[in-house]
């Protein structure tokens, strides 16, 4: 049977925005399948259902035709079958361990050091404003070989596109701003892509322009769309992951000191942050045929809102799921940054985030730099709340510290 009417918590309510985790518990236990009229989507919250929506081929990403294409153009996320595998293989090598470390680790390290050096002697920092929101965007701009003088343009475009993607309520002004940003980004980047085809360098944009598999190369529009997607997907996840990871560590001083003493634990702290307080809380899918999930049947072609934030705290999957514990044994650290992960923060299966290793490398580098620069880190006041529904993290993270 299908779900006939709306039931359970409303993902657009003020109560949900204030504390989604309480709502997630109610959803998992009492309303695992909700028809949400305002977003015209089914909402699922149990780990098993979200995992299936990400892995089962019956679930498509055709929802991105209306969700992403207006601001990005047609991206790799909208492709299926051979087209998807070919385009993924065109871009993936630049984000794998060997190439990533050899070509772009120095870019990552330098951007992190520059930002840390700007506040390391102050004894006080808003880590969101002065570091987290800037670090990943600056890295992406530099990886693409674009002028540092354009960093601020990218921050503005990034903010506008993310507002569009997070616009679950359908605000018309936000939609219009997003469309205008797409036009501005195209006017900026397409001429540069044409120049790199003629005179390639060692940067990521040149790599994308020259990549070829079985005679297939990306078009100018496809490269532009991928760069737009990288700007938001790569920027947003890393931005919010840094803020949430540092908040989680400062809120748990024993774990903070364990990571300070052993930087190899940063990867575990990041993986646990992805589970406990993921940067992205919901991703949509669309089944090609009727599918039975916990609580009922989802009809073919309907949108399914997969609640990552709920799935990652499902007690059927994790022990004591509402506690942050970087040493937990039910999170597979060996696969935490692969398509076989047993958390859902980077999606799973064929559409697993191609930039997962880039994010991990940025977190490994950035958190190490921050901990090396700051001692006796404390909240400047109360622990900051999280903000956001589609994506979520502290909007400000005021910390005091002793300069190292």
């Amino acid at each position: 049977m299908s779900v006939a009417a709306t039931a359970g918590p409303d993902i657009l309510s003020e109560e949900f925005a204030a504390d989604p985790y309480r709502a997630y518990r109610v959803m998992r236990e009492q309303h695992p399948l909700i028809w949400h009229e305002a977003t015209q989507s089914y909402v699922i919250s149990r780990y098993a259902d979200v995992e299936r929506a990400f892995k089962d081929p019956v679930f498509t990403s055709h929802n991105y035709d209306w969700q992403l294409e207006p601001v990005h153009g047609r991206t790799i996320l909208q492709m299926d079958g051979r087209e998807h595998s070919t385009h993924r293989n065109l871009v993936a090598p630049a984000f794998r361990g060997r190439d990533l470390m050899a070509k772009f680790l120095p870019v990552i390290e330098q951007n992190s050091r520059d930002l840390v050096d700007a506040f390391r002697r102050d004894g006080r920092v808003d880590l969101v404003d002065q570091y987290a929101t800037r670090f990943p965007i600056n890295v992406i701009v530099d990886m693409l070989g674009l002028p540092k003088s354009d960093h601020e343009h990218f921050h503005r475009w990034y903010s506008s596109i993310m507002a569009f993607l997070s616009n679950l309520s359908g605000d018309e002004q936000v939609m219009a701003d997003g469309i205008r940003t797409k036009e501005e980004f195209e006017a900026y980047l397409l001429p540069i892509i044409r120049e790199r085809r003629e005179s390639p360098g060692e940067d990521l944009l040149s790599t994308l322009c020259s990549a070829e598999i079985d005679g297939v190369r990306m078009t100018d529009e496809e490269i532009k769309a991928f760069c737009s997607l990288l700007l938001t997907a790569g920027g947003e996840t890393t931005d919010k992951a840094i803020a949430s990871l540092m908040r989680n560590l400062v809120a748990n001083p024993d774990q903070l000191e364990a990571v300070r003493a052993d930087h190899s634990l940063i990867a575990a702290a990041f993986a646990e942050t992805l589970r406990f307080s993921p940067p992205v809380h919901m991703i949509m899918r669309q089944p090609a045929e009727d599918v039975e999930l916990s609580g009922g049947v989802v009809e073919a072609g309907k949108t399914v809102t997969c609640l990552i934030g709920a799935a990652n705290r499902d007690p059927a999957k994790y022990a004591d799921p509402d506690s942050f514990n970087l040493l937990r044994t039910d999170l597979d650290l060996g696969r935490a940054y692969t398509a076989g992960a047993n958390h859902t923060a980077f999606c799973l299966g064929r559409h697993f985030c191609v930039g997962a290793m880039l994010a991990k490398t940025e977190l490994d580098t950035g958190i190490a730099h921050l901990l090396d620069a700051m001692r006796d880190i404390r909240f400047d006041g109360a622990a900051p709340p999280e903000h956001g529904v589609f994506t979520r993290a502290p909007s400000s993270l005021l910390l005091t510290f002793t300069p190292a």
Side-chain angles (χ1 to χ4, degrees), residues 17-19 128 243-244 247 379 382-388 392-397:
D19 184 6
V128 171
S244 292
R247 182 192 185 278
F379 295 121
E386 295 179 346
H387 291 279
R392 189 171 178 86
S395 58
S396 177
L397 183 56

Side-chain angles (χ1 to χ4, degrees), residues 128 132-133 136 158 162 166 234-248 270 273-274 277-281 363 386-395 397:
V128 171
T133 59
Y158 158 73
M162 280 313 307
S166 303
E236 182 76 357
T237 54
T238 307
D239 163 1
K240 286 182 162 48
I242 291 169
S244 292
L245 194 159
M246 286 299 293
R247 182 192 185 278
N248 292 339
F270 183 24
T273 292
L274 291 171
S277 47
V280 179
H281 270 236
L363 266 290
E386 295 179 346
H387 291 279
V389 174
F390 179 72
T391 60
R392 189 171 178 86
S395 58
L397 183 56

Side-chain angles (χ1 to χ4, degrees), residues 84-268:
H84 174 263
S85 61
T86 298
H87 281 75
R88 188 177 180 94
N89 288 335
L90 285 168
V91 302
F95 298 94
R96 294 188 182 128
R98 183 181 301 174
D99 287 354
L100 183 63
M101 291 296 186
K103 293 183 67 172
F104 299 122
L105 182 58
V107 173
I108 293 169
E109 291 178 332
Q110 188 61 56
N111 274 284
S112 178
R113 287 196 190 96
D114 288 347
L115 290 168
V116 171
D117 286 347
F119 66 77
R120 66 183 302 155
R121 299 301 174 192
D122 296 344
R124 185 177 186 272
V125 63
D126 181 347
L127 202 67
V128 171
D129 180 62
Q130 293 173 255
Y131 186 88
T133 59
R134 299 187 175 276
F135 176 39
I137 302 302
N138 291 357
V139 166
I140 289 169
V141 173
D142 287 355
M143 286 176 66
L144 292 170
L146 300 172
K148 288 185 180 293
S149 58
D150 291 336
H151 279 188
E152 290 303 321
H153 291 306
F154 278 85
H155 282 282
R156 178 169 56 83
W157 291 331
Y158 158 73
S159 298
S160 175
I161 295 173
M162 280 313 307
F164 181 98
L165 298 177
S166 303
N167 184 27
L168 297 178
S169 62
D171 185 289
E172 293 185 0
Q173 185 59 54
V174 172
M175 294 172 67
D177 290 344
I179 301 299
R180 184 171 61 253
T181 293
K182 177 178 181 286
E183 295 169 352
E184 290 180 7
F185 190 70
E186 286 177 345
Y188 170 89
L189 196 61
L190 285 175
I192 297 176
I193 291 172
R194 289 190 284 269
E195 291 174 5
R196 297 293 164 87
R197 288 202 191 276
E198 294 295 326
S199 302
E202 297 298 317
D203 53 85
L204 176 60
L205 191 56
S206 296
T207 299
L208 296 174
C209 288
S210 60
E212 183 174 338
I213 293 178
D214 296 333
V216 176
R217 302 177 73 178
M218 296 173 72
T219 68
D220 291 0
E221 285 288 341
E222 288 170 341
I223 293 171
K224 185 275 303 177
F226 180 78
C227 292
S228 179
L229 181 65
L230 178 64
L231 176 67
T232 51
E236 182 76 357
T237 54
T238 307
D239 163 1
K240 286 182 162 48
I242 291 169
S244 292
L245 194 159
M246 286 299 293
R247 182 192 185 278
N248 292 339
L249 289 180
V250 176
N252 295 273
D254 57 332
Q255 297 186 60
L256 171 62
E257 292 311 310
V259 175
R260 184 191 301 285
D262 181 1
H263 286 180
S264 71
L265 292 175
I266 294 173

Side-chain angles (χ1 to χ4, degrees), residues 24-39:
Y24 292 157
R25 287 192 291 273
V26 174
M27 290 175 169
R28 287 190 306 262
E29 294 170 6
Q30 302 175 28
H31 306 284
L33 186 64
I34 296 172
W35 172 251
H36 190 253
E37 187 68 25
T39 58

